[in-house]
Amino acid sequence: MEMPRVAAALALALSLIFVSMAGQCSGQLQFGFYNGKCRDRNGFQRDVEDIVKQKVKARFSTDTTIVAALLRMQFHDCFVNGCDASILLDVPNGEKTAPPNLSVRGYDFIEEIKTEIENTCPGVVSCADIIVMATRDAVSESRTGWYPVQTGRRDGRVSSAQNVKLPSPSIPVPQAIAAFNSKRLSTIDMVYLLGGHSVGVAHCGLFQNRLYDFKNTGNPDPTMNTTLLKTLQTLCPQNSNSNNSANLDQDPLKSSSVDKSFFEQIRLGNGILEVDQQLALDSNTRFSVARIAGSNDFSFQFGRAMIKLGAVDVKTGKDGEIRRRCAAVNSPSGNSGRNIFNIFG
């Protein structure tokens, strides 16, 4: 089958599946919500999703790491107060200031997209929807299948560091499952979403505890592949404050694309983060990991999980607003935030 036909079939199948799931969303999200709603100053209709797509395409051509950055941003936004772009707000003691978010980046890029859309059809498109659309398009640029996203979210007005409670890189799998379940995401949703770790890097501080004195045993984590262990010990010497990083997907040919390679690698003991490695070992998830590693439908299922993530506790109607600037509540002022990157919470 020709690739365009495959892509079309995938998009149609996903659309049909998620139209049937609309009742599970918080509020009334829609596929194609912005169709016909954006007209430029000359009265011509503009395709909002195409504007976002072209901006992402241009950014990806010079910075492939934007895929991991946006995946992380969407996760961190949706897991705290729902998918409402509250992570973007520059307010005292806002979500940006919480330790897990100090290394999130991409704020400037979302603001860049927002500015272009505001210059075309002001007051129409939410920052929350821009995050979800841009993340989808970045994933697609990384050679992963395209998936449709529902839109119609409004932006939240509240952003507090105290609300930021994200799963840590060393969280036990059962606790991770409980955290995802609390957001109405199933265990298999969680497994696929953690497949987002097929792109991006982790710095030494997030896994160094596994290399020398794992859980106060005086020995390295026994679940780690010995070849990988030696490599990481060289990269991150004991008792050092090295800021070196390692690819989360240890297949060098696939570490820049969102694909099933991550699951193949953790089955070989090549998980960098403790939670990633435990996915392949825990009785709750190991069979799913094995199935995904041997499957041909990763892109479809990953897209399905991302759409469910994008529907977590969204705000619609009077519950939110359409910001003029993503960094500020109903204000044209504000800056676009930090631009540094790490991975996970």
Side-chain angles (χ1 to χ4, degrees), residues 1-26:
M1 184 180 292
E2 298 176 358
M3 288 307 296
R5 292 175 60 192
V6 172
L10 173 62
L12 175 61
L14 279 167
S15 297
L16 292 174
I17 287 174
F18 289 102
V19 164
S20 69
M21 290 178 57
Q24 298 180 22
C25 301
S26 298

Side-chain angles (χ1 to χ4, degrees), residues 170-190:
S170 58
I171 188 173
V173 170
Q175 291 182 27
I177 291 172
F180 278 77
N181 286 172
S182 72
K183 306 298 179 182
R184 297 185 300 282
L185 296 165
S186 68
T187 300
I188 193 63
D189 293 332
M190 180 194 77

Side-chain angles (χ1 to χ4, degrees), residues 8 13 15 50 54 69 76 123 166 184 187 221 239 251 254 257 274 289 343:
S15 297
D50 188 63
Q54 295 308 317
H76 282 219
L166 294 162
R184 297 185 300 282
T187 300
D221 185 342
N239 301 320
D251 184 335
K254 299 181 178 180
S257 60
E274 184 180 348
V289 168
I343 192 71

Side-chain angles (χ1 to χ4, degrees), residues 15 66-67 90 93 110 114 161-162 178 202 207-208 219 228 240 285 318:
S15 297
I66 195 63
V67 183
D90 284 331
N93 301 313
I110 298 298
K114 174 66 170 175
Q162 293 183 342
F207 58 83
Q208 200 161 12
N219 296 305
L228 175 62
S240 75
T285 54
K318 295 181 180 179

Side-chain angles (χ1 to χ4, degrees), residues 71-263:
L71 277 168
R72 187 168 186 242
M73 179 188 289
Q74 181 176 340
F75 178 81
H76 282 219
D77 182 48
C78 292
F79 242 67
V80 180
N81 293 334
C83 306
D84 65 351
S86 55
I87 193 173
L88 303 179
L89 287 172
D90 284 331
V91 295
N93 301 313
E95 290 174 32
K96 282 184 179 179
T97 68
N101 289 335
L102 294 177
S103 53
V104 171
R105 73 175 180 93
Y107 301 128
D108 61 325
F109 182 49
I110 298 298
E111 198 72 59
E112 179 184 324
I113 298 172
K114 174 66 170 175
T115 298
E116 177 152 338
I117 293 177
E118 285 294 299
N119 288 338
T120 303
C121 50
V124 174
V125 182
S126 70
C127 299
D129 278 343
I130 291 173
I131 291 175
V132 172
M133 289 186 286
T135 302
R136 180 272 308 278
D137 292 332
V139 168
S140 181
E141 287 293 322
S142 80
R143 302 190 302 277
T144 300
W146 181 90
Y147 55 92
V149 294
Q150 295 168 308
T151 43
R153 299 166 188 80
R154 294 177 74 86
D155 300 320
R157 302 182 180 93
V158 176
S159 181
S160 172
Q162 293 183 342
N163 293 331
V164 178
K165 298 177 177 63
L166 294 162
S168 77
S170 58
I171 188 173
V173 170
Q175 291 182 27
I177 291 172
F180 278 77
N181 286 172
S182 72
K183 306 298 179 182
R184 297 185 300 282
L185 296 165
S186 68
T187 300
I188 193 63
D189 293 332
M190 180 194 77
V191 174
Y192 275 106
L193 290 171
L194 288 181
H197 286 177
S198 55
V199 290
V201 300
H203 291 280
C204 290
L206 290 179
F207 58 83
Q208 200 161 12
N209 64 308
R210 301 183 64 204
L211 306 182
Y212 301 102
D213 185 22
F214 182 62
K215 299 188 184 302
N216 298 316
T217 62
N219 296 305
D221 185 342
T223 67
M224 184 178 288
N225 181 292
T226 55
T227 300
L228 175 62
L229 174 63
K230 293 176 182 178
T231 299
L232 295 182
Q233 286 177 333
T234 301
L235 187 72
C236 309
Q238 191 170 15
N239 301 320
S240 75
N241 293 317
S242 172
N243 198 40
N244 290 334
S245 61
N247 287 333
L248 289 169
D249 183 346
Q250 282 292 295
D251 184 335
L253 299 178
K254 299 181 178 180
S255 59
S256 62
S257 60
V258 183
D259 55 33
K260 70 175 185 177
S261 172
F262 166 79
F263 297 97

